[in-house]
Amino acid sequence: MSKPFKQVLKSLLLGGVTGMFFLTPAVAQQQETPPQNDPLLKIYRGTTTRINDLVNTKLDVRFDYPKRYLYGKAWITLKPHFYATDSLLLDAKGMEIKQIAVVKNGKNTPLKYEYDGSQLHIKLDKSYQRTESYIIYADYTARPEEVKAEGSAAITDAKGLYFINHDGTEPNKPIQIWTQGETESNSVWFPTIDRTAQKMTDEISMTVEKKYVTLSNGKLVSQKDNADGTRTDTWKMELPHSPYLVMMAVGDFSIVKDQWRGKEVNYYVEKPYAPYAKAIFGNTPEMLSFYSDILGYEYPWAKYSQIVVRDYVSGAMENTTATLHGDFLQKTDRELLDNNHYDEAVVAHELFHHWFGDLATAESWSNLTLNESFADYSEYLWLSHKYGKDMADDHAYKAAKNYIQFTEYAGDRDLVRFHYHDKEDMFDAVSYQKGGRILNMLRNVVGDSAFFKSLNLYLKTNAFKSAEAHQLRLAFEEVSGQDLNWFFNQWYFGQGYPILDISYNYDDAGKKVSVIIQQKQPGDKVFELPIAIDVYAGGKKTRHLVTINDKSETFTFPYTTRPDFVNVDAEKVILDDKDDHRDINTYIFEYANAPEYGDRREAIEACLKEQTTNPAARKTVIAALKDKFYGLRSLTVAGLEMEDESVKTAALPVLQQLAQNDENSSVRAAALRQLGKLKDKQLIPLFEKATKDRSYAAAGAGLAGLAQLDLEKSYALAKQLEAESKGALSNAIATVYAQKGNDADVAFFAKAFDEANGQEKFEAAMQYIGILANVDNTETVIKGLDQIQNMAKLFNNKMVNSYLVKMLQPLAKKKQDKASLATPEIKAELNKQSDYILKIVNSLNK
């Protein structure tokens, strides 16, 4: 599971609306810190006792679109886990149960059962031994719209089965059906034992209209045309996996075919995106090879398909052999120019789950780290392999910051935690981003060879089974020969991170430097931290490997020549927050001589603080404008203080070059934004040229820069660019229209909002509200407000609602103030608008 919209929401809390899109497949955590006296926190969340084991589930389903029902027949093969039993408990949420029977010799014998709307308590026909299997038949109707189940920050709804545009009344949205099983929502549409520790094979026959294609787990083994104009597709999954990983999807998709080592690799997208499917997903075969090779465990499943659906309730979901993605992934080649491989990280994340999560599965949600921390870390592995260590380190740096920010407003948790308010709370920055960084530290502790050999052993030992974190530890201990309880107790079964205060004492007489490291995190916890310290002196670098064990440690190193720089955590692997007491000259030296992304980033940030007062720091900043990694070039550009004449003189020629020629669109856009602040009419030709950039980010920055100098020209250009605009270019056009436009331009905002998804939809809503403030036509205003309210219902998130309320309340006030000065006719209309706005505010506050 990855979670882009979660990250959007977190950014809303931490960074405001504009420029808030740092995502990892990974998605902002919205839960508040539960009160310490919460009785649910006192419950030990262990693995559910296994009385019966699933063996196989066979389903025959058809769909009622008007009612949003599923009519299903299920044949569930089970056997007792160990002890003999004469009863069975199945999860079956919100169903109408028509018959429960045991199947013997092809005949159904009805069984007695009790149903409470959530679970089926079935009395078996006899007591079965662990050597005996039995088949339960269920005839039922699934009614997902009648299920009242709350989602989480990662998964905003828990209905299990979703009918999208079921009545075809939304003209710009396809008719689709899809499922979402994690955490325990598949039992909304088929009876099962909905627990991660269960494993089963399955076979699903779906009867659909012939015009639709279907997707499910495993292979498509048959397609049969029916006399009533429908078609029945049967999908068969021959390797066992957990119930939450079962999926279905139905719709009018294009299937773009690929392959890997003789296995089908398919991409299901809406027809307009078929030409771009390979641009979106095309590295999947290489990922399959890369992950298979580094793990020493070849992708085990029969096929790999990926499908993009509308109105998905999360980011993406690793359903075995059939990953489902939200439509944020659906982009044209032009949109992908600004994506900087973020979507590719999502693809990597979900694929890696097919080893960690699908093959070896966390036996309980308490052990979610065995699924999500690995998937998070897989993003780092892929980006490093494909695009270099700088990009991977940038990704990891932002993930670590995301986790630390999360703890600041939501508190911290153990990585493996057996006490939580709700299982959905496990899907947070601890399980994802922190867990990924912990794996990177574990890799650093044992070394690359032992790390990947340990993962191989863990997978082979736990393949097609469920596992807990101790089994991961045992695999690492067996391979490395080390006792790693200290590491797992510290990072897996504990919480927090070290806050390090670092200072230095140079003794030129004694020719030695002392590094004093103090741990200042609250509480009594002391972290054990193996760490590399590099001493740069006399043109050479000497590495010292040390371990921090106490609250305060002093490490002393000899030197012949006074060091230029002492680099603590030289490999930049420790998850920490540090206060490093050193002067600016060490940062200037660090940028020029230390190789890691983290070195260069902290040097740039230090030099940016002194760019106006220190010529040497300013020189480093100018050098960093040409850093080899685009992310650091963008960071440096954004941090320039161009109002300072010395900075402007040094940076202006470089900025103009970057704005026009940098290979990365985010750098071009950042340079254009900085140049726009100068409001220099001599730059008009540069901004006009930029509006023709294929990158929406760069073109939008060019239009915004032009608008500050020549609003008439920018408005005319906006009209020309409107038809093909997306993303940042749409935002820039909206800004121009807000300044210069009229009621006729509202159509642009409505269309942009209607076509946007995820974060873009939220940003479009902010712009839409802005333009509606200036519109007097009540019908137009109410239509826009209805669209925004529907968005809020879709997102189903308290933070979104809260932010919308803060935007809508001033809008209502503005309408009221305008009404007080208007003619009676206009006054009535404006008051009607104000009343409607306040009605929506009240509904959002509930």
Side-chain angles (χ1 to χ4, degrees), residues 418-628:
F418 294 99
H419 296 274
Y420 49 74
H421 177 85
D422 188 275
K423 62 186 181 299
E424 309 298 339
D425 298 343
M426 289 298 300
F427 293 80
D428 60 16
V430 178
S431 295
Y432 286 75
Q433 289 92 337
K434 183 181 185 180
R437 311 293 67 74
I438 288 171
L439 286 169
N440 197 42
M441 288 189 287
L442 181 57
R443 178 181 177 185
N444 190 65
V445 167
V446 302
D448 275 16
S449 179
F451 180 78
F452 290 108
K453 190 170 179 61
S454 298
L455 297 188
N456 174 269
L457 178 60
Y458 168 79
L459 290 172
K460 286 181 175 178
T461 303
N462 299 289
F464 306 108
K465 301 176 186 175
S466 59
E468 61 179 56
H470 286 299
Q471 288 163 307
L472 180 67
R473 173 181 59 81
L474 291 171
F476 271 86
E477 290 185 341
E478 182 172 338
V479 169
S480 69
Q482 302 178 41
D483 186 310
L484 292 169
N485 273 294
W486 68 269
F487 186 93
F488 278 77
N489 288 339
Q490 175 173 287
W491 291 112
Y492 279 81
F493 299 99
Q495 61 183 265
Y497 56 91
I499 299 176
L500 303 181
D501 183 272
I502 307 168
S503 57
Y504 309 85
N505 185 15
Y506 293 89
D507 180 0
D508 290 333
K511 298 292 185 182
K512 59 187 179 182
V513 58
S514 295
V515 181
I516 304 98
I517 304 176
Q518 299 180 70
Q519 297 191 37
K520 292 197 169 183
Q521 61 275 4
D524 297 328
K525 183 169 184 176
V526 178
F527 285 86
E528 181 176 340
L529 304 172
I531 200 167
I533 299 178
D534 287 350
V535 178
Y536 290 79
K540 294 192 302 183
K541 178 180 77 173
T542 304
R543 173 157 292 185
H544 304 274
L545 300 176
V546 302
T547 300
I548 304 169
N549 286 302
D550 294 324
K551 273 280 190 179
S552 182
E553 293 263 19
T554 300
F555 302 99
T556 302
F557 310 110
Y559 62 76
T560 303
T561 304
R562 184 183 175 96
D564 298 291
F565 170 45
V566 177
N567 192 0
V568 178
D569 187 18
E571 293 186 333
K572 300 294 180 286
V573 294
I574 302 297
L575 175 62
D576 63 11
D577 190 5
K578 66 181 181 181
D579 190 1
D580 202 349
H581 302 284
R582 51 192 175 93
D583 67 51
I584 190 63
N585 291 320
T586 64
Y587 289 104
I588 292 168
F589 181 91
E590 181 179 21
Y591 182 77
N593 294 277
E596 301 291 345
Y597 162 90
D599 293 315
R600 292 171 6 247
R601 183 179 184 112
E602 66 185 16
I604 291 167
E605 290 176 335
C607 289
L608 282 169
K609 292 176 183 176
E610 300 197 17
Q611 62 183 290
T612 63
T613 58
N614 187 315
R618 182 163 56 249
K619 184 177 179 181
T620 297
V621 167
I622 300 306
L625 291 172
K626 297 182 180 180
D627 192 275
K628 64 178 181 176

Side-chain angles (χ1 to χ4, degrees), residues 148-215:
K148 304 299 181 186
E150 291 188 5
S152 68
I155 311 159
T156 60
D157 198 280
K159 289 190 295 189
L161 174 65
Y162 296 81
F163 290 79
I164 305 304
N165 195 17
H166 66 285
D167 54 6
T169 57
E170 298 181 66
N172 297 317
K173 186 179 291 184
I175 297 172
Q176 296 176 350
I177 294 172
W178 47 262
T179 63
Q180 165 56 39
E182 196 174 39
T183 50
E184 295 170 7
S185 299
N186 271 343
S187 48
V188 170
W189 61 276
F190 68 93
T192 188
I193 304 174
D194 210 346
R195 301 293 182 272
T196 64
Q198 291 286 338
K199 296 272 184 168
M200 66 178 189
T201 56
D202 64 77
E203 180 179 317
I204 302 179
S205 295
M206 286 179 267
T207 299
V208 299
E209 293 182 58
K210 286 184 181 179
K211 64 181 178 180
Y212 293 136
V213 299
T214 67
L215 177 64

Side-chain angles (χ1 to χ4, degrees), residues 56-87:
N56 177 262
T57 298
K58 181 179 178 181
L59 300 174
D60 186 347
V61 303
R62 59 191 64 225
F63 307 98
D64 186 330
Y65 284 81
K67 292 182 178 179
R68 287 178 283 183
Y69 283 0
L70 174 149
Y71 302 117
K73 300 180 189 300
W75 294 263
I76 309 164
T77 305
L78 308 103
K79 64 177 183 178
H81 181 73
F82 186 83
Y83 302 105
T85 184
D86 62 358
S87 63

Side-chain angles (χ1 to χ4, degrees), residues 143 231 583 611 686 707 817:
R143 303 171 297 180
R231 188 187 71 249
D583 67 51
Q611 62 183 290
L686 184 148
D817 291 345

Side-chain angles (χ1 to χ4, degrees), residues 48 57 96 134 168 190 213 365 371 428 480 516 597 614 630 664 746 785 793:
T48 303
T57 298
E96 179 188 349
Y134 59 95
F190 68 93
V213 299
W365 300 117
N371 295 7
D428 60 16
S480 69
I516 304 98
Y597 162 90
N614 187 315
Y630 73 83
N664 184 268
V746 174
L785 292 170
K793 290 177 182 177

Side-chain angles (χ1 to χ4, degrees), residues 87-100:
S87 63
L88 170 65
L89 182 66
L90 292 178
D91 298 294
K93 300 182 178 77
M95 295 180 181
E96 179 188 349
I97 304 298
K98 298 178 180 177
Q99 184 183 18
I100 298 294

